[in-house]
Amino acid sequence: MSYLLPRLTTKKEVDQAIRDTAELVLVLRFGREHDSVCQQLDDILFKTSNLLSKMAAIYTVDVDSIPVYTQYFDITLIPATIFFFNGQHMKVDYDRPDHTKFIGSFRNKQDFIDLVEVIFRGAMRGKVMVRSPIDPRNVPKYELLYKEI
Amino acid sequence: MKMMAATKKSEQTIQDFQYCEVCRRHHSQGRKHVYSRTHRDNINAIINKYGKKVKAAKPVLKHPVVDSGVNEENFWCYFCGCEVKKHDTTATATMKYGGFFRHLASQEHRQKTFSFWWDHRIEKSLKNSFLLTQEDYGSKQIGPTVEDLQKHKKQKTLPKGRVGANFDRSSSSGEEWLPSFGRVWQVGRRWKPWQQKRKGRTKASAAQSRPDFSSEEANGP
């Protein structure tokens, strides 16, 4: 499904997407095209992209193509979905250790739509961190193992 | 055979006939046709009818009118032989006669009008009322254009305190540029990862992970 979504392949393209997307939630999906969970997620993203066109711009990024960003965003699990608003990264509290990105696929389309809406409304009210509206049971569980702390 | 006989009788072939768009009929009179009574009457009717429309629209050029609602009305330009949108309309508002004036001021309409006048031998003094110069069209449009108005409305509704309201898009963005990114851990400032990156301190993959379901590792340790 990811071929239906616009894809960013270089650091410059990602920079441009982050800088030039104005008054919209920028959704960056880091993953691999042939990963089955990524495909599930892409399916949800594509099917909702039209409905969310006034609230969000959705792009896919291959984790292997831009190592700079993969490292900078600390992407260790895929698919990882990161949100920006007007060039500012948006944190979301999913009741999971990592607030900077959503790991895994959404359970259904409505979950993703709700999340984008909450981020959009939060950003419009000046909040850089919002609480996820998704039922915690529908958020994939993972653990981060801390090294060098 | 019958057909052949008929053509022979009048001794006219199809090449002798011309189509007159004003009278909407074929004739074999050549250039004489434009001076005929019926043709002159038709031309006068067109000039009268079109002239009334222009006359009705002219005051709006000096004092533009914007109505609410959609108006998809068209008008027929006799000189160009095409249908044109009469008003400029968006989903919510209509600028009256916007399309009408744009057409009258267009270069294409000017050329077509000149050739219409030449072809049909019309009184030259009548021509100018059907033409608008670009200066007239530009200077008499008081107030913002439809696009500017929409832009202005959109900006007005945006809250001032929204995230990244003052984000400077014009600042330089080279290879070095990185967006703001909060740390994975909840402690520490948002600009820390960016600062670390700048200093060239590559963070050894800080997080290693074991997914419960549905994920695989992207960067092996």
Side-chain angles (χ1 to χ4, degrees):
Chain A
M1 272 312 206
S2 66
Y3 55 87
L4 292 167
L5 290 162
R7 190 196 294 183
L8 307 171
T9 50
T10 60
K11 177 178 180 288
K12 205 174 176 188
E13 282 179 357
V14 176
D15 285 358
Q16 237 161 25
I18 293 170
R19 292 164 62 91
D20 295 347
T21 308
E23 321 309 345
L24 287 178
V25 178
L26 173 70
V27 182
L28 291 180
R29 186 282 276 153
F30 284 82
R32 288 198 185 100
E33 208 179 323
H34 300 293
D35 181 69
S36 62
V37 188
C38 267
Q39 284 167 352
Q40 278 176 30
L41 177 60
D42 287 349
D43 186 51
I44 287 173
L45 296 184
F46 172 67
K47 282 178 177 167
T48 50
S49 60
N50 201 21
L51 294 166
L52 289 170
S53 58
K54 285 190 178 165
M55 253 195 267
I58 304 170
Y59 295 96
T60 64
V61 184
D62 196 282
V63 275
D64 303 318
S65 62
I66 312 169
V68 183
Y69 270 135
T70 310
Q71 198 195 13
Y72 182 60
F73 292 148
D74 264 331
I75 290 161
T76 46
L77 292 166
I78 59 162
T81 314
I82 300 182
F83 301 94
F84 283 86
F85 192 89
N86 275 349
Q88 171 75 45
H89 174 243
M90 295 293 294
K91 280 188 172 189
V92 185
D93 182 0
Y94 305 101
D95 261 0
R96 294 288 175 268
D98 192 347
H99 289 189
T100 55
K101 54 185 97 60
F102 185 91
I103 306 284
S105 174
F106 298 95
R107 192 52 61 87
N108 51 47
K109 286 188 284 182
Q110 194 58 49
D111 278 357
F112 177 64
I113 293 170
D114 288 347
L115 178 60
V116 169
E117 191 174 340
V118 164
I119 292 171
F120 184 82
R121 284 175 192 279
M124 277 297 176
R125 277 162 47 219
K127 300 201 188 290
V128 287
M129 176 150 171
V130 293
R131 180 100 180 79
S132 158
I134 306 174
D135 186 347
R137 281 171 296 181
N138 288 354
V139 181
K141 287 195 185 74
Y142 58 91
E143 271 174 46
L144 294 175
L145 293 182
Y146 302 104
K147 247 188 190 176
E148 299 174 18
I149 285 191
Chain B
M1 283 304 283
K2 228 179 182 179
M3 277 284 283
M4 285 287 282
T7 47
K8 269 230 166 127
K9 200 176 169 188
S10 60
E11 289 182 3
Q12 279 181 325
T13 59
I14 195 139
Q15 278 88 9
D16 295 328
F17 282 90
Q18 285 173 314
Y19 183 68
C20 174
E21 286 194 345
V22 174
C23 304
R24 277 188 243 148
R25 70 186 188 88
H26 284 86
H27 62 84
S28 57
Q29 294 163 305
R31 285 301 288 161
K32 262 198 255 173
H33 171 76
V34 297
Y35 302 104
S36 69
R37 170 64 67 83
T38 48
H39 187 83
R40 304 257 36 114
D41 287 348
N42 285 334
I43 288 282
N44 286 338
I46 286 174
I47 300 279
N48 272 335
K49 203 173 167 187
Y50 204 175
K52 272 180 195 162
K53 282 189 199 176
V54 176
K55 211 173 173 184
K58 275 277 165 77
V60 182
L61 186 64
K62 280 177 188 153
H63 305 284
V65 180
V66 176
D67 286 348
S68 58
V70 179
N71 193 339
E72 297 280 6
E73 206 181 325
N74 291 326
F75 78 97
W76 181 262
C77 180
Y78 294 94
F79 309 152
C80 305
C82 64
E83 201 165 42
V84 189
K85 281 243 151 30
K86 200 167 188 175
H87 310 290
D88 272 345
T89 187
T90 63
T92 51
T94 300
M95 193 167 81
K96 276 194 121 186
Y97 293 112
F100 189 78
F101 292 135
R102 195 175 322 105
H103 180 76
L104 290 195
S106 71
Q107 196 58 37
E108 203 190 348
H109 175 78
R110 197 177 178 79
Q111 280 170 359
K112 290 265 170 71
T113 304
F114 270 74
S115 55
F116 191 87
W117 249 251
W118 176 256
D119 288 344
H120 298 292
R121 299 287 188 277
I122 307 168
E123 177 66 41
K124 270 182 192 147
S125 60
L126 298 170
K127 187 159 55 187
N128 276 343
S129 60
F130 297 96
L131 296 172
L132 274 183
T133 57
Q134 281 293 339
E135 293 90 68
D136 277 345
Y137 176 62
S139 66
K140 298 277 170 61
Q141 296 283 309
I142 302 163
T145 61
V146 177
E147 291 89 23
D148 285 347
L149 195 71
Q150 293 282 324
K151 225 177 179 179
H152 179 72
K153 273 183 185 164
K154 200 184 167 193
Q155 278 170 351
K156 215 174 172 184
T157 55
L158 287 170
K160 268 183 192 161
R162 68 191 189 282
V163 171
N166 305 320
F167 182 58
D168 183 13
R169 290 195 167 74
S170 56
S171 63
S172 68
S173 67
E175 277 295 296
E176 294 290 291
W177 186 84
L178 284 168
S180 84
F181 184 72
R183 330 192 80 193
V184 174
W185 333 126
Q186 282 115 46
V187 289
R189 302 250 166 168
R190 272 173 172 263
W191 42 264
K192 272 282 167 60
W194 177 76
Q195 205 182 37
Q196 277 176 4
K197 186 91 195 165
R198 272 205 112 178
K199 280 182 189 162
R201 246 173 61 196
T202 48
K203 254 200 297 178
S205 68
Q208 206 187 19
S209 33
R210 272 180 205 154
D212 265 12
F213 73 96
S214 77
S215 299
E216 74 171 31
E217 287 199 24
N219 294 340

